[in-house]
Amino acid sequence: MIGIATCILAALLAATPANPTANKVQGKFVMNGTDAKLSHVRAMRTKLDEKGKPGYAVLLSAQPAEGEMSSWRTAEPSKRGNFIYLLLEPKGEVWVAELGHTSAKSGHFGVVTELRVAPYAVRGDRISGTVQTAREEEFGGDHYTVDLKFEATLDQR
């Protein structure tokens, strides 16, 4: 009797579709041969400058991120884990990109032209895109590649 109930429950769970509005990140951020294992994403509307230029902040991280997202711009991977923090212009250009990896000699560093985000779209309260390097890049003796897809509901904070 318990075995049948277990089989029915397992079948129901397998047939239940995944949450289509779940935040997700897929792909790799590899630094010096080690994948960052980024599995969390947060995003929000933000102001890019003092004049109020609108944009989006996106945080891809190995650890769940709570609190103020902007604090990740200068975060140390030794304390927070691996991450990529992006500020994106409305048309998809990268305004700021901070990369943090425990395998990096510098811990975290900023890049802009080395990363591209495309395709990138905001539909209602959802943002999705792909962030990539065109090839293996180098910064301060560290070698890295990025090829990640993300999708998230924009925080309302």
Side-chain angles (χ1 to χ4, degrees):
M1 186 89 150
I2 292 175
I4 293 172
T6 303
C7 288
I8 292 171
L9 180 59
L12 287 172
L13 289 173
T16 303
N19 181 355
T21 60
N23 291 357
K24 56 189 167 190
V25 60
Q26 299 171 300
K28 294 184 180 276
F29 165 30
V30 177
M31 175 79 63
N32 298 326
T34 303
D35 184 18
K37 299 185 192 271
L38 303 182
S39 57
H40 301 277
V41 60
R42 273 186 67 198
M44 64 186 296
R45 288 179 173 85
T46 191
K47 294 177 183 166
L48 299 176
D49 61 18
E50 303 81 35
K51 294 179 183 177
K53 181 176 182 171
Y56 300 94
V58 178
L59 175 64
L60 310 163
S61 60
Q63 307 287 335
E66 305 224 353
E68 184 61 39
M69 275 180 51
S70 64
S71 66
W72 285 77
R73 284 184 74 169
T74 57
E76 284 302 323
S78 60
K79 295 179 182 171
R80 295 240 175 133
N82 301 323
F83 68 91
I84 295 177
Y85 178 86
L86 301 167
L87 288 178
L88 304 174
E89 293 184 22
K91 294 182 180 179
E93 297 296 317
V94 175
W95 183 270
V96 169
E98 294 288 335
L99 284 68
H101 200 294
T102 55
S103 295
K105 294 174 185 127
S106 61
H108 72 89
F109 56 93
V111 297
V112 175
T113 59
E114 295 82 358
L115 288 181
R116 63 184 176 94
V117 178
Y120 152 60
V122 177
R123 291 181 186 90
D125 67 346
R126 300 281 295 166
I127 186 170
S128 63
T130 302
V131 58
Q132 301 174 309
T133 52
R135 61 188 174 284
E136 181 177 88
E137 297 288 347
E138 186 269 335
F139 182 87
D142 292 313
H143 295 267
Y144 66 96
T145 59
V146 176
D147 187 9
L148 297 162
K149 291 181 182 181
F150 64 89
E151 185 175 347
T153 299
L154 294 165
D155 287 1
Q156 299 304 314
R157 301 174 201 188

Short mmCIF file of all heavy atoms in Angstrom, two decimals, residues 81-132:
data_model
loop_
_atom_site.label_atom_id
_atom_site.label_comp_id
_atom_site.label_asym_id
_atom_site.label_seq_id
_atom_site.Cartn_x
_atom_site.Cartn_y
_atom_site.Cartn_z
N GLY A 81 31.81 34.00 -2.10
CA GLY A 81 31.76 32.98 -3.15
C GLY A 81 31.87 33.62 -4.53
O GLY A 81 32.00 34.83 -4.66
N ASN A 82 31.82 32.82 -5.55
CA ASN A 82 31.99 33.26 -6.93
C ASN A 82 30.76 34.05 -7.40
O ASN A 82 29.64 33.74 -7.01
CB ASN A 82 32.20 32.06 -7.84
CG ASN A 82 33.42 31.25 -7.43
OD1 ASN A 82 34.42 31.82 -7.01
ND2 ASN A 82 33.33 29.94 -7.54
N PHE A 83 30.99 35.06 -8.27
CA PHE A 83 29.88 35.87 -8.76
C PHE A 83 30.25 36.65 -10.00
O PHE A 83 31.42 36.84 -10.32
CB PHE A 83 29.42 36.86 -7.68
CG PHE A 83 30.42 37.95 -7.38
CD1 PHE A 83 30.39 39.15 -8.06
CD2 PHE A 83 31.41 37.76 -6.42
CE1 PHE A 83 31.32 40.15 -7.79
CE2 PHE A 83 32.33 38.76 -6.14
CZ PHE A 83 32.29 39.96 -6.83
N ILE A 84 29.21 37.12 -10.69
CA ILE A 84 29.33 38.14 -11.75
C ILE A 84 28.24 39.16 -11.44
O ILE A 84 27.06 38.81 -11.30
CB ILE A 84 29.13 37.56 -13.16
CG1 ILE A 84 30.25 36.57 -13.49
CG2 ILE A 84 29.06 38.69 -14.20
CD1 ILE A 84 30.09 35.90 -14.84
N TYR A 85 28.63 40.42 -11.32
CA TYR A 85 27.70 41.52 -11.06
C TYR A 85 27.68 42.41 -12.30
O TYR A 85 28.74 42.88 -12.74
CB TYR A 85 28.14 42.32 -9.83
CG TYR A 85 27.26 43.51 -9.53
CD1 TYR A 85 26.12 43.35 -8.77
CD2 TYR A 85 27.57 44.76 -10.03
CE1 TYR A 85 25.29 44.45 -8.49
CE2 TYR A 85 26.75 45.86 -9.76
CZ TYR A 85 25.61 45.69 -9.00
OH TYR A 85 24.81 46.76 -8.74
N LEU A 86 26.52 42.62 -12.88
CA LEU A 86 26.38 43.41 -14.10
C LEU A 86 25.46 44.60 -13.89
O LEU A 86 24.44 44.49 -13.21
CB LEU A 86 25.77 42.56 -15.22
CG LEU A 86 26.50 41.29 -15.62
CD1 LEU A 86 25.60 40.44 -16.49
CD2 LEU A 86 27.79 41.64 -16.35
N LEU A 87 25.81 45.72 -14.49
CA LEU A 87 24.91 46.84 -14.67
C LEU A 87 24.72 46.96 -16.18
O LEU A 87 25.70 47.08 -16.93
CB LEU A 87 25.47 48.13 -14.09
CG LEU A 87 25.50 48.23 -12.57
CD1 LEU A 87 26.14 49.55 -12.13
CD2 LEU A 87 24.12 48.09 -11.98
N LEU A 88 23.46 46.91 -16.63
CA LEU A 88 23.16 46.90 -18.05
C LEU A 88 22.36 48.14 -18.44
O LEU A 88 21.44 48.54 -17.73
CB LEU A 88 22.34 45.66 -18.41
CG LEU A 88 22.96 44.32 -18.04
CD1 LEU A 88 21.97 43.19 -18.32
CD2 LEU A 88 24.25 44.10 -18.79
N GLU A 89 22.71 48.70 -19.57
CA GLU A 89 21.95 49.80 -20.14
C GLU A 89 20.66 49.24 -20.72
O GLU A 89 20.59 48.06 -21.06
CB GLU A 89 22.76 50.50 -21.23
CG GLU A 89 23.98 51.22 -20.69
CD GLU A 89 24.73 51.98 -21.77
OE1 GLU A 89 24.13 52.30 -22.81
OE2 GLU A 89 25.91 52.25 -21.56
N PRO A 90 19.63 50.08 -20.87
CA PRO A 90 18.35 49.58 -21.40
C PRO A 90 18.46 48.90 -22.77
O PRO A 90 17.71 47.99 -23.06
CB PRO A 90 17.49 50.84 -21.50
CG PRO A 90 18.07 51.76 -20.49
CD PRO A 90 19.55 51.48 -20.48
N LYS A 91 19.41 49.33 -23.59
CA LYS A 91 19.55 48.73 -24.91
C LYS A 91 20.45 47.49 -24.90
O LYS A 91 20.72 46.91 -25.94
CB LYS A 91 20.09 49.75 -25.90
CG LYS A 91 19.10 50.86 -26.15
CD LYS A 91 19.60 51.83 -27.17
CE LYS A 91 18.57 52.94 -27.38
NZ LYS A 91 19.01 53.93 -28.33
N GLY A 92 20.96 47.09 -23.72
CA GLY A 92 21.71 45.85 -23.63
C GLY A 92 23.20 45.98 -23.49
O GLY A 92 23.89 44.98 -23.34
N GLU A 93 23.72 47.19 -23.56
CA GLU A 93 25.16 47.36 -23.40
C GLU A 93 25.56 47.16 -21.94
O GLU A 93 24.82 47.50 -21.02
CB GLU A 93 25.59 48.75 -23.86
CG GLU A 93 25.35 49.01 -25.33
CD GLU A 93 26.18 48.11 -26.23
OE1 GLU A 93 27.38 47.90 -25.95
OE2 GLU A 93 25.62 47.61 -27.22
N VAL A 94 26.76 46.62 -21.73
CA VAL A 94 27.29 46.44 -20.38
C VAL A 94 27.82 47.78 -19.89
O VAL A 94 28.69 48.38 -20.52
CB VAL A 94 28.41 45.37 -20.35
CG1 VAL A 94 29.03 45.27 -18.97
CG2 VAL A 94 27.86 44.01 -20.80
N TRP A 95 27.29 48.28 -18.79
CA TRP A 95 27.72 49.54 -18.17
C TRP A 95 28.86 49.24 -17.20
O TRP A 95 29.86 49.95 -17.16
CB TRP A 95 26.53 50.17 -17.48
CG TRP A 95 26.74 51.50 -16.84
CD1 TRP A 95 27.14 51.71 -15.55
CD2 TRP A 95 26.58 52.79 -17.41
NE1 TRP A 95 27.21 53.06 -15.29
CE2 TRP A 95 26.87 53.74 -16.43
CE3 TRP A 95 26.20 53.23 -18.68
CZ2 TRP A 95 26.80 55.11 -16.66
CZ3 TRP A 95 26.12 54.59 -18.90
CH2 TRP A 95 26.44 55.51 -17.89
N VAL A 96 28.68 48.19 -16.38
CA VAL A 96 29.67 47.74 -15.41
C VAL A 96 29.62 46.22 -15.36
O VAL A 96 28.53 45.64 -15.43
CB VAL A 96 29.37 48.30 -13.99
CG1 VAL A 96 30.23 47.63 -12.93
CG2 VAL A 96 29.55 49.80 -13.95
N ALA A 97 30.77 45.58 -15.22
CA ALA A 97 30.83 44.14 -14.99
C ALA A 97 31.93 43.86 -13.98
O ALA A 97 33.08 44.22 -14.21
CB ALA A 97 31.10 43.39 -16.29
N GLU A 98 31.56 43.27 -12.87
CA GLU A 98 32.52 42.86 -11.83
C GLU A 98 32.49 41.34 -11.77
O GLU A 98 31.42 40.74 -11.62
CB GLU A 98 32.15 43.45 -10.47
CG GLU A 98 32.27 44.95 -10.39
CD GLU A 98 33.71 45.45 -10.36
OE1 GLU A 98 34.62 44.70 -9.95
OE2 GLU A 98 33.92 46.61 -10.76
N LEU A 99 33.65 40.73 -11.86
CA LEU A 99 33.76 39.28 -11.79
C LEU A 99 34.53 38.91 -10.54
O LEU A 99 35.56 39.51 -10.24
CB LEU A 99 34.52 38.73 -13.01
CG LEU A 99 33.75 38.68 -14.34
CD1 LEU A 99 33.45 40.06 -14.87
CD2 LEU A 99 34.55 37.90 -15.36
N GLY A 100 34.02 37.94 -9.81
CA GLY A 100 34.69 37.47 -8.61
C GLY A 100 34.77 35.96 -8.64
O GLY A 100 33.77 35.27 -8.89
N HIS A 101 35.96 35.43 -8.42
CA HIS A 101 36.18 33.97 -8.48
C HIS A 101 37.26 33.61 -7.46
O HIS A 101 38.29 34.28 -7.38
CB HIS A 101 36.61 33.57 -9.89
CG HIS A 101 36.41 32.13 -10.21
ND1 HIS A 101 37.11 31.13 -9.57
CD2 HIS A 101 35.59 31.53 -11.10
CE1 HIS A 101 36.73 29.96 -10.08
NE2 HIS A 101 35.80 30.19 -11.00
N THR A 102 37.02 32.57 -6.72
CA THR A 102 37.98 32.14 -5.70
C THR A 102 39.30 31.69 -6.31
O THR A 102 40.32 31.66 -5.62
CB THR A 102 37.40 31.02 -4.81
OG1 THR A 102 36.96 29.95 -5.65
CG2 THR A 102 36.24 31.54 -3.98
N SER A 103 39.32 31.37 -7.60
CA SER A 103 40.57 30.96 -8.27
C SER A 103 41.35 32.14 -8.84
O SER A 103 42.46 31.95 -9.35
CB SER A 103 40.26 29.98 -9.41
OG SER A 103 39.73 28.79 -8.90
N ALA A 104 40.79 33.34 -8.79
CA ALA A 104 41.47 34.51 -9.34
C ALA A 104 42.51 35.04 -8.36
O ALA A 104 42.25 35.12 -7.17
CB ALA A 104 40.46 35.61 -9.65
N LYS A 105 43.66 35.41 -8.89
CA LYS A 105 44.72 35.97 -8.04
C LYS A 105 44.27 37.27 -7.38
O LYS A 105 44.63 37.55 -6.24
CB LYS A 105 45.97 36.22 -8.88
CG LYS A 105 46.59 34.95 -9.41
CD LYS A 105 47.74 35.24 -10.36
CE LYS A 105 48.22 33.94 -10.94
NZ LYS A 105 48.28 33.94 -12.38
N SER A 106 43.46 38.06 -8.10
CA SER A 106 43.01 39.34 -7.57
C SER A 106 41.69 39.25 -6.81
O SER A 106 41.22 40.25 -6.29
CB SER A 106 42.85 40.33 -8.73
OG SER A 106 41.87 39.86 -9.63
N GLY A 107 41.08 38.07 -6.76
CA GLY A 107 39.79 37.93 -6.10
C GLY A 107 38.65 38.40 -6.97
O GLY A 107 37.90 37.61 -7.49
N HIS A 108 38.54 39.71 -7.15
CA HIS A 108 37.52 40.26 -8.05
C HIS A 108 38.14 41.36 -8.90
O HIS A 108 39.14 41.97 -8.52
CB HIS A 108 36.30 40.79 -7.27
CG HIS A 108 36.56 42.05 -6.52
ND1 HIS A 108 36.39 43.29 -7.09
CD2 HIS A 108 36.99 42.27 -5.27
CE1 HIS A 108 36.69 44.21 -6.20
NE2 HIS A 108 37.06 43.62 -5.09
N PHE A 109 37.55 41.57 -10.07
CA PHE A 109 38.05 42.61 -10.97
C PHE A 109 36.94 43.06 -11.90
O PHE A 109 35.96 42.34 -12.09
CB PHE A 109 39.27 42.14 -11.77
CG PHE A 109 39.03 40.88 -12.56
CD1 PHE A 109 38.63 40.95 -13.89
CD2 PHE A 109 39.24 39.64 -11.99
CE1 PHE A 109 38.42 39.79 -14.63
CE2 PHE A 109 39.03 38.48 -12.72
CZ PHE A 109 38.62 38.55 -14.04
N GLY A 110 37.08 44.24 -12.45
CA GLY A 110 36.08 44.79 -13.34
C GLY A 110 36.50 44.69 -14.80
O GLY A 110 37.68 44.83 -15.12
N VAL A 111 35.53 44.41 -15.64
CA VAL A 111 35.73 44.38 -17.09
C VAL A 111 34.50 45.02 -17.73
O VAL A 111 33.46 45.14 -17.09
CB VAL A 111 35.92 42.94 -17.64
CG1 VAL A 111 37.17 42.31 -17.06
CG2 VAL A 111 34.72 42.07 -17.36
N VAL A 112 34.60 45.44 -18.98
CA VAL A 112 33.43 45.94 -19.68
C VAL A 112 33.40 45.37 -21.09
O VAL A 112 32.51 44.64 -21.45
CB VAL A 112 33.38 47.49 -19.72
CG1 VAL A 112 32.21 47.96 -20.57
CG2 VAL A 112 33.26 48.05 -18.33
N THR A 113 34.40 45.69 -21.88
CA THR A 113 34.38 45.29 -23.30
C THR A 113 34.57 43.79 -23.49
O THR A 113 34.24 43.27 -24.55
CB THR A 113 35.46 46.06 -24.09
OG1 THR A 113 36.74 45.78 -23.52
CG2 THR A 113 35.19 47.55 -24.05
N GLU A 114 35.07 43.09 -22.49
CA GLU A 114 35.30 41.65 -22.64
C GLU A 114 34.02 40.84 -22.55
O GLU A 114 33.97 39.71 -23.01
CB GLU A 114 36.28 41.15 -21.56
CG GLU A 114 37.68 41.71 -21.67
CD GLU A 114 37.83 43.10 -21.05
OE1 GLU A 114 36.83 43.68 -20.56
OE2 GLU A 114 38.94 43.61 -21.05
N LEU A 115 32.97 41.40 -21.98
CA LEU A 115 31.69 40.70 -21.85
C LEU A 115 30.65 41.32 -22.75
O LEU A 115 30.60 42.54 -22.92
CB LEU A 115 31.16 40.79 -20.41
CG LEU A 115 31.85 39.97 -19.34
CD1 LEU A 115 31.16 40.17 -18.01
CD2 LEU A 115 31.89 38.50 -19.68
N ARG A 116 29.82 40.48 -23.31
CA ARG A 116 28.67 40.98 -24.05
C ARG A 116 27.43 40.26 -23.53
O ARG A 116 27.50 39.12 -23.09
CB ARG A 116 28.83 40.81 -25.56
CG ARG A 116 28.94 39.39 -26.02
CD ARG A 116 29.21 39.36 -27.53
NE ARG A 116 29.40 37.99 -27.94
CZ ARG A 116 28.45 37.21 -28.41
NH1 ARG A 116 27.23 37.67 -28.55
NH2 ARG A 116 28.71 35.97 -28.76
N VAL A 117 26.32 40.96 -23.55
CA VAL A 117 25.06 40.40 -23.09
C VAL A 117 24.10 40.44 -24.27
O VAL A 117 23.67 41.51 -24.69
CB VAL A 117 24.49 41.18 -21.89
CG1 VAL A 117 23.15 40.60 -21.46
CG2 VAL A 117 25.47 41.16 -20.73
N ALA A 118 23.82 39.27 -24.85
CA ALA A 118 22.91 39.19 -25.99
C ALA A 118 22.46 37.75 -26.16
O ALA A 118 23.25 36.84 -25.94
CB ALA A 118 23.61 39.68 -27.25
N PRO A 119 21.28 37.45 -26.53
CA PRO A 119 20.19 38.42 -26.52
C PRO A 119 19.81 38.77 -25.09
O PRO A 119 20.02 37.99 -24.18
CB PRO A 119 19.05 37.67 -27.23
CG PRO A 119 19.33 36.23 -26.97
CD PRO A 119 20.83 36.11 -26.89
N TYR A 120 19.23 39.94 -24.94
CA TYR A 120 18.89 40.47 -23.63
C TYR A 120 17.51 41.10 -23.76
O TYR A 120 17.29 41.88 -24.68
CB TYR A 120 19.97 41.46 -23.22
CG TYR A 120 19.60 42.59 -22.31
CD1 TYR A 120 19.10 42.36 -21.04
CD2 TYR A 120 19.79 43.90 -22.70
CE1 TYR A 120 18.80 43.42 -20.20
CE2 TYR A 120 19.50 44.96 -21.87
CZ TYR A 120 19.00 44.70 -20.62
OH TYR A 120 18.70 45.74 -19.79
N ALA A 121 16.59 40.71 -22.89
CA ALA A 121 15.22 41.21 -23.02
C ALA A 121 14.57 41.40 -21.66
O ALA A 121 14.84 40.65 -20.73
CB ALA A 121 14.39 40.23 -23.85
N VAL A 122 13.71 42.40 -21.58
CA VAL A 122 12.88 42.62 -20.41
C VAL A 122 11.44 42.59 -20.90
O VAL A 122 11.06 43.34 -21.79
CB VAL A 122 13.18 43.98 -19.73
CG1 VAL A 122 12.23 44.20 -18.56
CG2 VAL A 122 14.63 44.03 -19.27
N ARG A 123 10.68 41.67 -20.33
CA ARG A 123 9.26 41.54 -20.66
C ARG A 123 8.48 41.60 -19.36
O ARG A 123 8.58 40.68 -18.55
CB ARG A 123 9.00 40.23 -21.39
CG ARG A 123 9.59 40.20 -22.78
CD ARG A 123 9.30 38.89 -23.51
NE ARG A 123 9.99 38.84 -24.76
CZ ARG A 123 11.22 38.35 -24.93
NH1 ARG A 123 11.89 37.88 -23.91
NH2 ARG A 123 11.77 38.34 -26.12
N GLY A 124 7.77 42.69 -19.17
CA GLY A 124 7.04 42.87 -17.90
C GLY A 124 8.03 42.96 -16.75
O GLY A 124 8.90 43.82 -16.75
N ASP A 125 7.92 42.04 -15.80
CA ASP A 125 8.83 42.04 -14.65
C ASP A 125 9.89 40.94 -14.74
O ASP A 125 10.48 40.55 -13.75
CB ASP A 125 8.03 41.91 -13.35
CG ASP A 125 7.35 40.56 -13.20
OD1 ASP A 125 7.26 39.81 -14.21
OD2 ASP A 125 6.90 40.24 -12.09
N ARG A 126 10.14 40.44 -15.98
CA ARG A 126 11.13 39.37 -16.18
C ARG A 126 12.27 39.88 -17.07
O ARG A 126 12.04 40.60 -18.03
CB ARG A 126 10.50 38.14 -16.85
CG ARG A 126 9.38 37.50 -16.10
CD ARG A 126 9.81 36.64 -14.96
NE ARG A 126 10.56 35.48 -15.42
CZ ARG A 126 11.27 34.70 -14.62
NH1 ARG A 126 11.34 34.96 -13.34
NH2 ARG A 126 11.93 33.68 -15.09
N ILE A 127 13.48 39.49 -16.73
CA ILE A 127 14.66 39.81 -17.54
C ILE A 127 15.34 38.50 -17.89
O ILE A 127 15.38 37.56 -17.08
CB ILE A 127 15.62 40.76 -16.78
CG1 ILE A 127 16.78 41.20 -17.70
CG2 ILE A 127 16.13 40.13 -15.50
CD1 ILE A 127 17.63 42.32 -17.12
N SER A 128 15.85 38.42 -19.10
CA SER A 128 16.58 37.22 -19.53
C SER A 128 17.66 37.63 -20.50
O SER A 128 17.57 38.66 -21.17
CB SER A 128 15.64 36.21 -20.18
OG SER A 128 15.06 36.76 -21.35
N GLY A 129 18.70 36.83 -20.56
CA GLY A 129 19.79 37.13 -21.48
C GLY A 129 20.89 36.10 -21.41
O GLY A 129 20.83 35.13 -20.65
N THR A 130 21.88 36.33 -22.23
CA THR A 130 23.07 35.50 -22.28
C THR A 130 24.27 36.42 -22.10
O THR A 130 24.36 37.46 -22.76
CB THR A 130 23.18 34.78 -23.64
OG1 THR A 130 22.01 33.99 -23.81
CG2 THR A 130 24.41 33.90 -23.70
N VAL A 131 25.17 36.06 -21.20
CA VAL A 131 26.40 36.84 -20.99
C VAL A 131 27.57 35.95 -21.38
O VAL A 131 27.64 34.79 -20.95
CB VAL A 131 26.50 37.37 -19.54
CG1 VAL A 131 26.47 36.27 -18.51
CG2 VAL A 131 27.74 38.22 -19.36
N GLN A 132 28.45 36.49 -22.24
CA GLN A 132 29.53 35.68 -22.79
C GLN A 132 30.80 36.49 -23.03
O GLN A 132 30.74 37.70 -23.21
CB GLN A 132 29.13 35.11 -24.16
CG GLN A 132 27.93 34.25 -24.17
CD GLN A 132 27.54 33.86 -25.58
OE1 GLN A 132 27.41 34.71 -26.45
NE2 GLN A 132 27.34 32.58 -25.80
#
